[in-house]
Structures are given as structure tokens and as C-alpha cells.
Amino acid sequence: MRDLTVTEAIDVVGRGEAEHELPGPLRADVRMLGGLLGRVLRESGSEGLFDDVERLRHATIAAYTDDSPQAFARAEEIADSFDVQRADEVARAFTAYFHLVNLAEEHQRVRVLRERDGRPEARDAKDSVASAYARLTGEIGAEAATERLQQLRFHPVFTAHPTEARRRAVSMSIRRLAALLIEHDRAAHDAAQRDGADDAAPEQVRGDADGAERLSSEQRRLQRLMLQEIDTLWRTAPLRAEKPTPVDEVRAVMAIFDDTLYMTIPQVYRRVDDVLQGGDAGARAPLVKPFVRVGTWVGGDRDGNPFVTASVTKKAAAIASEHILLGLEHTAERVARSLTLSGDSTPPSTALLALWQRLSDADEDAAVEVAKRAPDEPHKRVLMLLTRRLAATRARNADLAYADPDPFLADLRTVQDSLVAAGAPRQAYGELQHLIWQVETFGFHLAELEVRQHSAVHAKVLAECEAGEPLSPLAEEVLEVFRTIAQLQRRYGPRAAGRYIVSFTQSAADLAAVHRLARFAVGEQGTPPVLDVIPLFETFADLQAAPAIMAEIIEHPAFAERLAATGRRLEVMLGYSDSSKDVGPVAANLALYEAQALIAEWARENGIQLTLFHGRGGALGRGGGPANSAVLAQPPHSVEGRFKLTEQGEVIFARYGDPDIAMRHIDQVAAAVLLASAPSYAALNREAAERFADVAATMDAASRAKFFELVKAPGFAPWFATVTPMEEIGLLALGSRPARRGLSVESLADLRAIPWVFAWSQARINLAGWFGLGTALEAVGDEELLRGAYDEWPLLRTIIDNIGMSLAKSDVRIARRYLDLGDRDDLAALVLDELELTQRWVVRIVGGDDLLANKPVLQRAVKMRDPYVDALSLLQLRALRALRTASDDQDVTPWQHLLLLSVSGVAAGLQNTG
């Protein structure tokens, strides 16, 4: 077996779509949508608004292309000339523009994916599960590869962490626009075909101003509807008036399941099976077993969120179950209607007839009616009564309801087996198989609800319980959660809610406390819920202590019993956010790698089937970036075909909001998960880690020292709150969770990782994603050695590529203006010098003349957005200065609104901000 290079490894998971210039269709869409927005501003904005927007837009573009202080000063002068009402309108205009650009880019991604799927080479895509399976077969043989494919598991967990800055009303408006864009594409294609204009310029086909006369009546109709929708978007208040409740957050996430995941996930399985089985696909039992499991913290994560109660958790589970049962009911009914196979052509099996008899005895009136409607269609009759049982399950009709999904699955397989025995495999493995996949993936609960609580809360409540005195409201609530979990398991099945995550795990006692509390909750005679207790190691010190803590806890009787029951399966969660806030992004990434390697080795030595749960955020400072490349950079044996991670805020909608993009994302990540355990990848990561151990040690020490020099400087925390909109972000109604644990900004310890990252990104500094790397690389000093490490060490390549993205979204001129808000020239210089050093080293190592030179598509997207983000940043600075200098009796409400509006706009422009 030949060695695998890092370049090949990266190629396997894809490096972007079409390269170089902005694609014609995307350029046309941006121009069309921008033109429609301009018309709305003229018609619906106040007098002169469009002209003011254009003045600022042209000035920021000029400043972006001209590095002179005069050009930047001109843009500042225009932004500062607006009164607060005008500034507010201008900020809204730029925010609306970003929503439309984001839509156009998403639409282009979908367009490219659909065009790719239509080409013969699509089945050979390097970053698909099917291709990964073929490669794995070449390395370990077909039998072993098939076994790993059937054990594959990708487990995204949706959280309610507050980083989605736009209102749901805005999101829905954008979704309606997306549907209109799809129709517009179809109309443009039809017009081109009809007019013989296949080679027409995209601007002409899609209705750019220069080609407006060529628009068909259908295109004109659709552009009129888009204009109406953009006008609605403009007139919709962009900011939430109040923070959403946890139940609001549950319902928002449900939209992703309803609109995308419910139908998309079985299509992912089908796509893989189509490639693996070729012409036999759909006529034989699928090779693919359902490999996606969906989890959720929404309604279950109570760490630091007092609004998530046991009652909320019950409601979250009930809402999710209602959605999935209704979906399964509709699907089963649709499949039943299609099974119009006569008993003569497709005779029922003995098992199917017995099932019909049992169903008829339980639901006599319905059976009589169904028999009349389908007198000689035995498979249809059975499935129609199964649909009735699903409806009864949703209505909680005890006489007919299923207790859990397993009996329903058994009934579906009886139908499937009967069809196969009767010589109708295509009906057995067609839409009926999709229904089976949906039940296997979602159960009756839809998403596996996970509970999270802080270890300190457990310790406090346990002390109360053991003291035997009357319990506090906090203790009563904590115990009620365990009773709720038991109730949910009885009602929706054991998978519905069985994972309990302990934040800030620092000892085995922190984990044992959960089992003791569960026993207190139900009493000596009661039955506690079945729990998989998951440690969450977050800080740098906790990551280092993790293997020793795990070695101790598996000896605990409750843990040992659960390990035995699950075949020694165990989950361990790693937090990216707090470790990065503790020691800086470079040292945190290295510490996370080392912790994973040690935990994985410990698990192998103890015969434990380990799943590492990655607490990644959307931003680079919180472990964000492309998930597939991150998977392939993991230590040997730390993945082993299983990958679980958190998905949050804007990342949820970016990755799963569109069916085509969701399918592509799931396929890519699952492919990387399958490949990560291939011998070639394990050898690549192991040998690189050994070869560059000294480089890692030097970078770790240097980056940590530099980070501490900044964050441990006297007065750093209040300075940070002054030079970023950190305090004001807390006023933005992003989510139900508080922005920080305490009321003071005297210490970073009480500040949550999300506002830490979010505030730096708003200031266009992105410090949380890169600070310390320049010093770390400078400490190594050997450019040739570092280039070699970048080429041959997947971990370093991932770190540098992600930091390159973070740096590209920063802007030193804007950053200086934010840093000027403080009175610490020493700290400002420390930040700016490290920024310049890091940029210089990253460009030298990666090559090219500029950041992201090796990622032209991403570079193009960033450069297209930056001047417009600059406009919003200048308006945000205007608001910050006004707020910082306001007198006690001055009404600052308009300036606060402008600031929060600009925060939403910058988030939309930069993306992956939290």
C-alpha cells in the first residue's frame, strides 16, 4: 500500500466548486436581486435613501481597492454624516443585501450540485460515501469494508446556542425567495430553449438590465413576485422584539426536520445504495444500514439556562414526537395507496395474513372499511391499518397505539418480506424501504433529546439530598428532570432521551453524582431512567485529566453495569469553546488532539467502543470550519466509523436548510468518517504527529505564552468589553440563554465562549480564531520545515486553513477603529502586531500572494462581501462611539437599535460568526 499524501487526503473530501471567476449564473442572480432591492429602496425607503446607500457603497468599495488613508477616511466621513434614523435605514439596506447575496450563493451551490448529479462522473465523486467505501475496500477488502459501512454512524446534535441573528420571519421570507429563484431558473432555461439561446449570456437569460427585453412573460411574473417578496423583507422588522423562549427554539428547529431532514436522509441512503448495487439497486435488500442519528439539546440543555425546565423538556419531546408521527403517518398512507398489487399477482405470506388478522381483531370497523376499499390488495390493506395504528399512537389511543417503534418496524418488515416472497422486490425495496429507513433513523421521537447540566449544580443538589433537609426549588427541579427522562423513555422509547451530559467534568465523582441523583429522584422502590452519562471536558486542565477520570469512572458499579448492557459503548464529549478561551486557539487545538489520542488509546486498551462527541461551534474560535476535513485530521482510532458533533445557530440553516445542500453535507461528512479509520489515514496522522512532535511542542508553548500575555494583562476584561460590542450583544434577542454566567466583565471566566467569539468577529478582529499562531510559527522559525509540516501533517493543515479563513474575514483598518475605543495602546499594539505577524506567516506557508490563495472560491466570496461588511462596521462604530460617550440623561435607544441592527447585518455578511 503506497503512502497517502495530505494533498490527496484533502482532495478526497473536496476543495470547492468551480474555480477562478464569479460564475455567470451567480453574478446574474446577485445583479438581479441587488437591482430589485435598489428598486424597493427607491419605492419604499425614505427620500434620498437609495442615493445615500449608493454613496456609502461606492466609498467602501473604493476604500477596499485603495489602501490610502484618504479613501478610508472618505467612507468614514459618509457613515458619520448620517443622523441616527438615516444610519438605521442604511444599515437595514446593507443587511437586506447580505440576505440576498447569501441566498444567491446558496442557490448557486444547489445549481452546481444538481448539474454535477446529472453528469456520469457524479457516481465517482471522491467525497461520497460510495467512493469512500470503494477506497476502503481496496485497503482492507470487501468483507471488512462492508462491515464498517454497516456500522457507520454520523450523529449531528442541534443546539439552541444563540448565534442565529436573523428573525424567523426573515428566514421564511428568504425561503420563499429561494423557491422563486428555482422557478426563475426553470423559466430562463425554457425561454433559452424556446428561443434557441442556449449560448446566451446568463445576464440576458436571467434578465439583467441589458437583456431585459428578452425576458419571457413567466420570467417577468416571477421577478414581480420576487420584487414583492423583497419589499416584504424590507418592511419586516429585522430584529426580534423579545428573546425566544426555549419552546420557540424547539419549534424553529422543527422546521429543519419538516422541510429537509425527514425526506433528505433516506435519499442519502438511497443514493449510496444506488451506486453500490448498480442495476440491482431497488430490487435487492440494501447494503446500507441507516447511518444518521439526529440529536438535539433544544429543550434539554439547562447548563446556565434557567428557562429550560423539566416542563420545557416534556414539551420539546412532545412537539418532536408529534412532528415525526405525523410525518410517518402521511408517508405510510402514501405508500399504502401505491401498493395496489392484487393477491393473484402478489400473494400474501402466511405471516402477512396473520398480521392482518391481528390488526382486524384490534380495529374491526376499520378493517371492514379497508377490506371494501381494497378487496384483493392484501399488502395495501395491511399498510392502511398500520397507518391507523400510527394515528392512534399520535392520539395516545391506548387500544391501538404502538408502545414504541420496534413493533411498528417488525410489522413493516412483515409486509416487506411478503412482497419479496411474492416476487415483488421492487415494491419491497422501493418507497416502503424509505419508510423503514425513516423509522430506523427517527423512531417515534424524531431526535434523541439530550440533557446537559453543570457538575457544580449536581454537587450542590446531591449535598442537599444527602443532608435530608427540605429541598430547595433548584434541587426539586433537578430531580424532576430525572423523573421526566424516565417518563419520556416509557412514552417514546428508550432512544428518545437517554444521554445525560455533565458540563465541566473534573472528576469521576462528577459523573457518579448523576446516577446517585437519579436514584434519589425515583426513591428506593422506583426504577431510575436508563442513562448514558457523558463527561464534557472543556478546559485545558480537564482535557489533560480526561484519561485518568475515565479510567476511574468505568469501575463505578452503575457505569460498569451500563457498559455491559451496551457492549462496552461509551461517549466522551470534548469542548472546543472554553479550551480555546483558556489557552488560545493554537494550544487548544493541540490539546484537543492530544486528549483524543490518549482517550482513544485508553479505550482500545480497555475494550471500549468509544464515540468522541465534538462540541464544535460555527466560528473558527469554537472548532468551526469544514467538518469533513476536520474528521480526516483526527488521531488514529479516535473516529472508528463514528462521529458526533454539535450543530448550532446559523450553521444549522446553512448546512441543513436546503435539501440538496443537506444531502451533500451528510454524504461528505459520512464519507470522511468512513475513511478516517482506513489504515492509510491512521498511518498518515500517526506518523505526522510523531515526526512533528517538536514543532507541536514549540507552537504550544509559544502560542500559550502569547495568549496569556494578552488575556492576563491587568484590566484586559473591561478593555475587551470596551473595544467590542460584547455588552450590547447581550441585548440582542438571539436565544433564550443568558450571554454570560454572571453580571461582571471583570473576569473572562464568567463570559460564555459564544459572546467571546461573536464580539471579536463583530469588531472585525476575529481574535478568538487566530491569536497566537503568528508567534507560534515565528518560534519554530524554519519556513521550509513548516511548509513540509503543512503538506504532510493534516492537523496543522486544518489549523492553518481555518485560521486563514478567520484572518481573511478580519480587516486591520476597521480593527484599529474598534481598538481606538479603549485607552490601552499597549493591548491594541499587541493585537495588531500579532495579526500582522500571523497573516504574514500564513501566506508564506500556504503560498500565493494573499490569504486563501489555495481556496479561490472562498477567497472570491470573502472579497465580494468585505466592502459591504465594511459599511455596516462603520455604522456600528458610529453607534458604539455614541453609546460610549452618551450622558446619563440622554436617550440612547435609537443608537442601541442601530448597533443591534448592524450586529445582525455583520453576522449575515461574515457568516460562521458564533
Side-chain angles (χ1 to χ4, degrees), residues 406 408-418 432 436 440:
D406 289 342
F408 179 51
L409 270 174
D411 289 347
L412 290 177
R413 289 197 175 99
T414 296
V415 177
Q416 188 175 58
D417 292 344
S418 177
L432 178 59
I436 290 173
E440 290 176 318

Side-chain angles (χ1 to χ4, degrees), residues 496-635:
R499 292 182 175 85
Y500 197 108
I501 297 152
V502 182
S503 299
F504 284 90
T505 298
Q506 297 179 317
S507 70
D510 289 337
L511 303 176
V514 176
H515 289 290
R516 294 170 68 186
L517 287 168
R519 171 53 64 190
F520 272 113
V522 299
E524 289 301 322
Q525 304 304 314
T527 302
V530 177
L531 292 176
D532 290 314
V533 182
I534 301 171
L536 169 49
F537 300 111
E538 301 183 74
T539 68
F540 181 71
D542 294 342
L543 287 169
Q544 292 182 311
I549 294 173
M550 297 312 301
E552 182 182 349
I553 194 60
I554 63 169
E555 302 300 326
H556 186 277
F559 258 81
E561 181 182 348
R562 184 61 183 152
L563 278 176
T566 61
R568 297 186 70 76
R569 291 197 297 271
L570 185 67
E571 278 189 26
V572 175
M573 186 173 181
L574 305 172
Y576 286 66
S577 308
D578 284 280
S579 57
S580 181
K581 188 160 68 77
D582 272 354
V583 293
V586 178
N589 271 284
L590 295 172
L592 282 159
Y593 185 93
E594 181 67 17
Q596 289 178 72
L598 292 173
I599 294 170
E601 185 59 33
W602 166 82
R604 281 170 60 82
E605 292 173 355
N606 288 275
I608 287 172
Q609 189 180 104
L610 175 71
T611 298
L612 286 173
F613 181 8
H614 301 263
R616 295 161 58 91
L620 285 311
R622 303 192 58 244
N628 44 9
S629 58
V631 170
L632 292 173
Q634 302 304 305

